[in-house]
Amino acid sequence: MYHCMRLHTPYETNMSDLVSVAAIKDLLTECPICTEHFDESTRIPRRMPCCVQSICQPCLETYTGGAATLSCPMCRHRHNLPGGVKSLPKETLILKTLDYLKIQKGLHLPCTDCPDKETAVAQCDNCGTFLCSLCLSAHKRNTVSKAHTINTFDEMKGRPVQSFRRLHQCSQHQHPLQFYCYTCDNVVCVSCTVVDHKEGKGHNVVSVNEAHQGKAKSTNDVLGKLEEKTKRLSETESALQKKIENIKLSMRVARDDINKIFDNLTDRLNQRRTILLSDVDGKSAENLKLTEEALDSTRQLLTKVKSSSEYMRQMRSKADKVEDLQVMGSSEASLNSMLKESPQETPFDRTGVSFVQANVQHLQNTINVAGMVRSVTFSPTERPNGMPDTEVYNAIILEPAEFPTVMAMDRSICDQKITCPTLEWDSSTAHNNIDVSGCVITNTTSAVPSPDTGCRIQDINSCLASRPLMVKNCQGQRCMYRVKFRVCLNELIEDNTLIQEIALTPTPVDTGGNQVTGLSVYFATCPYHKQQLCLRVLYNSTFLTDRPLIQNRVGQSIDLQLCFLMDGANDKILVIDAGDNTVYTTVTDVDFDRPMWVMMYVGNDVSGELITGHNITGTFANYNH
């Protein structure tokens, strides 16, 4: 973006020569840089050949700084100007417009002929000069010019600017410019055609009228194309602005989500801290009470023994033998009783409470990898044969794809030979018309619409799993997940209608149909089984098998649970009916070198659930054979 600023120059301009802003605000008569009005003496408009815009001479001289090069202030195109700014052509049309406006507004326009520059009142149509009252009288008396056509300014008021003409004269020969040289791309006079622009020297010279007709047609064609380009660029500008808004919105939403999650984690940690601190008090209270009671009992007995013993010693120290016998006799029973008396005891030798850092290291490790910021990019990619260009077909690129796992996140079965990765749906990529809650996805719009962050699938009601499957990195190079879905028919399904799809693809695509790369298991109306809905399997768009499941009738429903076992050791995928552990189909020659994304589409009245990790139960011995 270029910022226009006012450039201050050391000279002054006669204010009476200027046209008011109100008079010219709708016309191109002011410099786009300094916003001052053009004039013919100081702020001469110079046309830039790069962007066909006019800038006043002082601004251009300021930008060049006296150098022979100029970077256009409007488009930054660099020009070499050995002759300086003055070598750029004057924009005579702007000067003509300024004169026209001065006439229309009754402003001062200097006489061309007289040295005093008196205010002109008329124009000679033949000479193109402006004449004051005195010069007009002389012009009418002169034998050469008395037959010329004179237009007073009062007569010219109200006429269109096209009727206002300036004298177009050759600067070299002072003859009218009546010809155009295509070779040199210049308007020339009759003398030029026999000197510098002679046809015999290879110059193509035609009349101004003929040249104007041809140039006007080509220029109008270019302007028409530029108008179309302007429309396309405006659409591109709007699209880019929308992308910027989406990126900024996604940043705000991501920050809000991060703050929300970690605020919740902080609350949970504080709650746990409160519980543990309460446990410190609770688990210590009983033993502390017993110990304090024992201490109090011991202190009471100690005080009693010490005071009684001291009292006896003092009494005996002052008594004779008879009195001593009497004191000992009267105190013997009490002293023996004190010997037998015991303080309250505790049932333990020592006790206390300690904080065991159970799972703390695991928690710390989990916190270190908790959450991940991922970029989601939708980019046009090569289309399948026959797909119209008007349909959306964008590859979905998620970076980074994999995220760090933590201890016990995944489950291993069959003696560690099959890994069950923990997956859930990534709600940030889900289409706005579906609702995602953990592992469950339904074709219902959320009560609180999710913001359009630019990360969401837009052309189909689909969602991606939270992370891809890295089959080659799993133990035994085998991994498995389940998908459970339910379909209820509340209306008849039209032919060639996709109802539900479970895809496993290395290149997920945002498109209106099923995924064409990788495995596509989908529920749809079937061209081979009339009035029935079938489960069909494709791999890399190659049809493998189908199975009729229910009739295409209102009220029909089905619950189905499929198990997907990826065998990287043998490069195959088994699609298994989890209800009876039978293999529905086997896909061979599968490329597991790339991450594989689980993707689901849900049509009307369809719900789907991912069953993964430790949620997978059952007997899997047969799967390992």
Side-chain angles (χ1 to χ4, degrees):
M1 179 180 292
Y2 304 103
H3 298 277
C4 295
M5 60 185 71
R6 184 176 299 277
L7 300 178
H8 300 283
T9 51
Y11 53 80
E12 295 182 355
T13 303
N14 187 347
M15 297 301 294
S16 64
D17 293 338
L18 295 179
V19 184
S20 68
V21 174
I24 63 170
K25 64 179 181 180
D26 295 327
L27 295 169
L28 302 177
T29 52
E30 65 178 31
C31 175
I33 303 300
C34 65
T35 68
E36 296 287 354
H37 305 152
F38 292 120
D39 59 56
E40 201 164 0
S41 58
T42 52
R43 294 196 176 275
I44 302 169
R46 299 287 180 179
R47 188 193 316 143
M48 300 301 300
C50 48
C51 53
V52 203
Q53 298 198 53
S54 296
I55 300 170
C56 76
Q57 183 172 312
C59 285
L60 292 175
E61 289 172 343
T62 300
Y63 267 83
T64 59
T69 59
L70 168 66
S71 178
C72 176
M74 305 303 293
C75 67
R76 296 190 176 179
H77 183 84
R78 292 191 65 81
H79 300 274
N80 290 319
L81 302 175
V85 170
K86 293 181 180 179
S87 64
L88 292 172
K90 289 183 181 180
E91 187 55 88
T92 57
L93 183 59
I94 288 179
L95 297 175
K96 167 188 167 180
T97 303
L98 283 170
D99 291 343
Y100 167 79
L101 287 171
K102 288 180 180 180
I103 293 172
Q104 299 301 311
K105 300 298 177 180
L107 301 176
H108 172 72
L109 191 63
C111 177
T112 308
D113 285 355
C114 71
D116 297 330
K117 301 298 180 184
E118 295 290 337
T119 300
V121 295
Q123 182 187 32
C124 175
D125 205 30
N126 301 83
C127 302
T129 57
F130 298 118
L131 303 169
C132 66
S133 299
L134 294 176
C135 292
L136 175 61
S137 298
H139 203 75
K140 288 180 177 180
R141 292 195 307 270
N142 189 295
T143 56
V144 177
S145 59
K146 64 180 181 179
H148 288 184
T149 301
I150 301 296
N151 294 312
T152 67
F153 286 177
D154 288 336
E155 293 172 340
M156 296 171 65
K157 287 182 178 179
R159 293 181 183 178
V161 68
Q162 291 85 352
S163 66
F164 180 68
R165 57 186 298 271
R166 288 170 64 97
L167 180 64
H168 301 297
Q169 198 174 57
C170 176
S171 59
Q172 183 178 358
H173 304 108
Q174 284 72 49
H175 292 156
L177 298 175
Q178 297 174 317
F179 299 93
Y180 181 79
C181 177
Y182 272 106
T183 307
C184 301
D185 195 21
N186 277 328
V187 184
V188 298
C189 71
V190 65
S191 296
C192 293
T193 62
V194 298
V195 181
D196 298 323
H197 301 272
K198 194 172 182 179
E199 291 188 356
K201 295 182 180 180
H203 289 261
N204 180 15
V205 179
V206 298
S207 68
V208 165
N209 289 338
E210 181 181 347
H212 180 268
Q213 186 176 1
K215 282 279 188 178
K217 183 180 184 307
S218 61
T219 301
N220 288 336
D221 290 342
V222 171
L223 289 175
K225 293 176 181 178
L226 287 175
E227 185 176 353
E228 294 176 1
K229 185 170 185 177
T230 300
K231 183 179 179 181
R232 292 195 303 270
L233 288 173
S234 297
E235 293 172 351
T236 301
E237 179 190 29
S238 298
L240 290 172
Q241 184 62 39
K242 178 65 174 176
K243 290 178 182 178
I244 290 173
E245 292 171 358
N246 283 342
I247 292 171
K248 291 182 177 179
L249 176 61
S250 70
M251 292 169 64
R252 291 196 299 271
V253 171
R255 289 191 180 103
D256 289 345
D257 289 344
I258 290 170
N259 287 329
K260 181 179 178 181
I261 289 296
F262 281 88
D263 285 346
N264 289 337
L265 288 173
T266 301
D267 290 342
R268 296 291 294 274
L269 284 172
N270 286 331
Q271 291 173 12
R272 182 60 182 165
R273 176 167 60 182
T274 300
I275 290 172
L276 291 172
L277 292 174
S278 177
D279 285 349
V280 170
D281 296 335
K283 294 185 181 302
S284 304
E286 182 63 27
N287 289 337
L288 182 61
K289 179 182 177 183
L290 291 174
T291 305
E292 288 175 343
E293 289 175 350
L295 176 61
D296 185 59
S297 172
T298 301
R299 284 175 174 171
Q300 289 179 9
L301 182 56
L302 174 62
T303 301
K304 180 180 178 181
V305 170
K306 286 176 66 177
S307 62
S308 297
S309 299
E310 184 63 26
Y311 182 79
M312 278 293 295
R313 288 192 182 94
Q314 290 184 10
M315 290 291 290
R316 291 185 66 197
S317 66
K318 295 180 172 59
D320 56 23
K321 292 182 179 180
V322 174
E323 292 171 336
D324 192 20
L325 284 172
Q326 290 174 338
V327 169
M328 289 188 292
S330 61
S331 304
E332 185 176 4
S334 297
L335 294 175
N336 288 329
S337 175
M338 274 188 272
L339 286 174
K340 295 178 181 178
E341 189 175 349
S342 300
Q344 180 178 325
E345 296 182 353
T346 57
F348 45 79
D349 180 49
R350 61 179 181 270
T351 186
V353 293
S354 66
F355 172 61
V356 180
Q357 298 187 26
N359 299 318
V360 170
Q361 186 61 51
H362 175 60
L363 176 62
Q364 291 174 341
N365 293 338
T366 303
I367 289 175
N368 289 338
V369 295
M372 181 178 70
V373 178
R374 170 186 282 164
S375 67
V376 184
T377 305
F378 297 79
S379 300
T381 187
E382 184 178 355
R383 296 172 174 272
N385 293 332
M387 174 170 283
D389 291 339
T390 54
E391 291 190 16
V392 174
Y393 197 76
N394 288 329
I396 308 173
I397 304 169
L398 301 97
E399 294 180 343
E402 182 59 50
F403 54 79
T405 59
V406 294
M407 181 179 63
M409 183 175 178
D410 301 332
R411 182 192 178 197
S412 295
I413 60 175
C414 298
D415 297 327
Q416 311 296 318
K417 293 181 180 179
I418 299 179
T419 301
C420 301
T422 298
L423 301 173
E424 59 183 7
W425 298 117
D426 181 3
S427 59
S428 67
T429 64
H431 190 283
N432 273 329
N433 289 343
I434 60 179
D435 183 63
V436 177
S437 178
C439 295
V440 179
I441 178 174
T442 55
N443 191 345
T444 54
T445 304
S446 176
V448 180
S450 302
D452 183 8
T453 62
C455 299
R456 298 189 175 280
I457 296 170
Q458 294 186 345
D459 206 51
I460 193 168
N461 294 350
S462 295
C463 185
L464 286 164
S466 56
R467 62 171 174 147
L469 299 174
M470 313 289 289
V471 180
K472 293 292 188 179
N473 296 341
C474 296
Q475 287 184 329
Q477 295 188 19
R478 292 182 177 92
C479 66
M480 181 174 64
Y481 67 94
R482 281 186 181 181
V483 175
K484 180 171 67 175
F485 65 90
R486 177 177 177 78
V487 178
C488 298
L489 299 185
N490 293 322
E491 59 183 358
L492 289 178
I493 308 299
E494 297 180 359
D495 291 341
N496 299 318
T497 299
L498 183 66
I499 302 171
Q500 183 271 348
E501 180 192 29
I502 308 158
L504 184 66
T505 173
T507 54
V509 173
D510 183 8
T511 180
N514 58 290
Q515 298 296 305
V516 299
T517 304
L519 178 68
S520 173
V521 180
Y522 63 93
F523 195 52
T525 50
C526 182
Y528 307 113
H529 302 90
K530 298 299 183 182
Q531 306 302 320
Q532 295 190 80
L533 302 180
C534 293
L535 188 69
R536 314 190 76 208
V537 180
L538 280 73
Y539 183 71
N540 288 340
S541 300
T542 300
F543 173 76
L544 299 180
T545 185
D546 64 355
R547 177 191 294 177
L549 294 181
I550 59 173
Q551 295 292 318
N552 187 6
R553 293 202 304 264
V554 175
Q556 291 284 298
S557 64
I558 186 172
D559 292 281
L560 190 63
Q561 189 171 153
L562 296 178
C563 181
F564 294 82
L565 177 60
M566 286 147 284
D567 186 350
N570 298 297
D571 296 329
K572 63 183 181 180
I573 300 174
L574 279 68
V575 182
I576 302 164
D577 187 338
D580 56 11
N581 285 358
T582 59
V583 176
Y584 178 55
T585 189
T586 300
V587 184
T588 58
D589 299 323
V590 179
D591 180 9
F592 286 116
D593 290 334
R594 292 182 290 175
M596 305 290 280
W597 290 92
V598 179
M599 188 175 185
M600 177 177 275
Y601 162 77
V602 286
N604 293 333
D605 307 309
V606 176
S607 63
E609 179 181 358
L610 271 174
I611 303 174
T612 63
H614 292 268
N615 292 321
I616 291 183
T617 59
T619 303
F620 306 101
N622 292 335
Y623 299 166
N624 199 33
H625 294 326

